Amino acid sequence: QNPGAAQLEGKDKAMLLAAIKAVRTPKELGESDMQELRALGWNDGEILDAVAHATFSMAFDRILSGKIA
């Protein structure tokens, strides 16, 4: 699946891609990503919520699939 092809408006797609980046390659998520999200109208609390939700969902999925004991 290609998250970049998600049928979302620009603001929402940017948040989705940032949350995925935070999960898959967290060291690559940087200040420029944060500035882009802020410029689109997201505040720091909303960004934190999205990233926290994405990482929690990923961790819970791994627990349920038996990848984490």
Side-chain angles (χ1 to χ4, degrees):
Q1 296 182 8
N2 180 4
Q7 294 184 4
L8 297 170
E9 293 186 24
K11 177 181 177 179
D12 295 326
K13 186 180 284 190
M15 179 64 84
L16 171 65
L17 295 176
I20 291 170
K21 189 176 192 179
V23 170
R24 291 184 179 168
T25 55
K27 291 182 180 183
E28 293 180 17
L29 186 69
E31 184 59 31
S32 63
D33 298 297
M34 297 294 290
Q35 289 175 356
E36 176 187 352
L37 293 172
R38 290 179 190 124
L40 290 169
W42 296 105
N43 65 48
D44 289 353
E46 293 167 327
I47 297 167
L48 177 63
D49 286 344
V51 170
H53 180 75
T55 55
F56 176 78
S57 295
M58 186 252 344
F60 194 63
D61 181 58
R62 288 187 180 202
I63 290 168
L64 291 178
S65 68
K67 294 179 182 175
I68 297 177

